[in-house]
Amino acid sequence: QEGERMVVRARRSRFALATLPAAEFPTVEEISPLQTLEVSQQDFKRLLEKTHFSMAQQDVRYYLNGTLLETAPKLLRSVATDGHRLALCEIELGSSGQTGQQVIIPRKGVLELQRILGSEEQNLQLAIGTNHVRVQIGEVRFTSKLIDGRFPDYTRVIPSAPERKVSAVREDLRQALQRAAILSNEKYRGIRFALKPNSLVIQAHNPEQEEAEEEVEVSYDGEPMEIGFNVNYLLDALGAIDGEQVEIGLTDGNSSCLIRSPADDRARFVVMPMRL
């Protein structure tokens, strides 16, 4: 350090950098946690990966620009929604007696946590306060402010028992949607589902009068119906599902669908329909 400059030299290179007074560096206050949890890195990373894509980006409803973290006895749950789709994932905790608490981690905090979380079984410490959340992973400590707001009651938008159920091979459906998406409207990304017994026809078209049609073999024994969706929302949900099979629960052409894996009810995805 030379006066107010920092000089870095290495072999034939030299860099002179401006510095700021260290006294002005923000201090991270103690968070006074209301509860501290032990969670495996692998499980916590899974919570964020299964839900982060549904966060809003710059919504005026600022409480949607993040992920809800909710504690319940023996459960830790994450929920994200942008008002058009919702993603929920939960994991079991080894210890019981955790107090029920809801906090909203801002979008930047969630994305940064995803970068530093590994896939190891090693446990991390999650401390949840009223204004901050802190994650301690080995020697790394990450602290984020929380969004001060009330997250909407997400339980009201999750279909409890959809009348019609469509079962399909997840990868077959995902690839058919990807192909149909090529000719969907670039702005609205709408595609139409046309359902009849054991068959799903996916249709897309755009302002240039181009059309795509894909037929996928499914297990379905209900009445024929049509419903429109944003194809990107469906692809995001299918990409987050584990397992070979996917189940889509439908009520009618104007109601949200519930997407889940028949083998794992810990992750659920809701997508609102589109008018086409």
Side-chain angles (χ1 to χ4, degrees):
Q1 187 175 353
E2 298 175 0
E4 292 183 0
R5 300 181 83 74
M6 176 71 70
V7 179
V8 183
R9 294 184 180 87
R11 297 186 182 179
R12 298 183 182 184
S13 304
R14 177 182 171 278
F15 299 86
L17 309 174
T19 62
L20 295 169
E24 291 180 14
F25 193 80
T27 55
V28 180
E29 58 194 86
E30 270 306 310
I31 71 168
S32 307
L34 299 177
Q35 60 178 317
T36 303
L37 310 174
E38 287 269 337
V39 188
S40 96
Q41 265 197 81
Q42 204 173 33
D43 285 348
F44 195 58
K45 187 172 187 177
R46 180 174 185 269
L47 267 188
L48 301 182
E49 282 183 344
K50 301 288 182 195
T51 54
H52 78 279
F53 53 83
S54 288
M55 292 186 291
Q57 299 211 27
Q58 289 180 315
D59 202 298
V60 291
R61 297 164 294 180
Y62 59 93
Y63 46 83
L64 298 184
N65 300 320
T67 292
L68 173 76
L69 209 58
E70 181 178 37
T71 59
K74 291 201 171 182
L75 272 185
L76 182 61
R77 183 180 294 120
S78 66
V79 185
T81 179
D82 60 8
H84 302 288
R85 43 135 170 220
L86 178 143
L88 176 150
C89 185
E90 53 193 26
I91 56 171
E92 286 188 24
L93 298 173
S95 55
S96 60
Q98 303 300 336
T99 55
Q101 189 180 358
Q102 286 191 343
V103 295
I104 307 171
I105 304 175
R107 180 183 179 83
K108 278 188 178 178
V110 172
L111 300 180
E112 193 60 34
L113 267 172
Q114 283 187 273
R115 274 181 6 98
I116 62 177
L117 284 168
S119 305
E120 298 85 19
E121 292 279 341
Q122 172 196 359
N123 278 7
L124 57 82
Q125 260 200 345
L126 175 65
I128 306 171
T130 49
N131 300 313
H132 293 80
V133 65
R134 174 171 291 166
V135 177
Q136 183 86 37
I137 312 163
E139 296 178 356
V140 178
R141 177 187 289 175
F142 175 84
T143 306
S144 170
K145 277 189 173 181
L146 297 170
I147 292 177
D148 182 17
R150 185 170 180 81
F151 202 79
D153 181 4
Y154 62 86
T155 58
R156 292 172 57 187
V157 301
I158 300 175
S160 54
E163 298 167 13
R164 311 171 192 210
K165 290 184 179 174
V166 182
S167 295
V169 177
R170 185 184 69 89
E171 189 59 20
D172 289 354
L173 179 58
R174 193 180 71 84
Q175 289 185 12
L177 285 170
Q178 281 181 326
R179 290 191 295 268
I182 296 166
L183 295 186
S184 66
N185 185 306
E186 287 185 12
K187 184 177 180 182
Y188 300 109
R189 307 296 285 161
I191 55 107
R192 177 181 275 107
F193 271 17
L195 268 170
K196 55 187 179 183
N198 296 327
S199 171
L200 166 63
V201 176
I202 301 165
Q203 299 165 326
H205 63 271
N206 60 33
E208 284 75 46
Q209 306 300 315
E210 297 173 315
E211 296 176 1
E213 186 172 294
E214 290 275 345
E215 185 167 0
V216 182
E217 192 177 320
V218 297
S219 174
Y220 174 70
D221 58 6
E223 292 290 315
M225 69 172 285
E226 291 192 358
I227 185 169
F229 291 110
N230 179 311
V231 68
N232 289 352
Y233 297 168
L234 295 177
L235 287 170
D236 284 343
L238 290 174
I241 283 179
D242 299 321
E244 292 182 5
Q245 293 287 320
V246 62
E247 184 181 279
I248 301 174
L250 297 160
T251 303
D252 55 46
N254 300 310
S255 303
S256 299
C257 76
L258 176 66
I259 304 172
R260 55 181 285 274
S261 164
D264 177 22
D265 201 37
R266 293 290 186 197
R268 281 163 279 165
F269 307 92
V270 178
V271 179
M272 284 181 66
M274 272 182 84
R275 289 188 184 278
L276 294 175

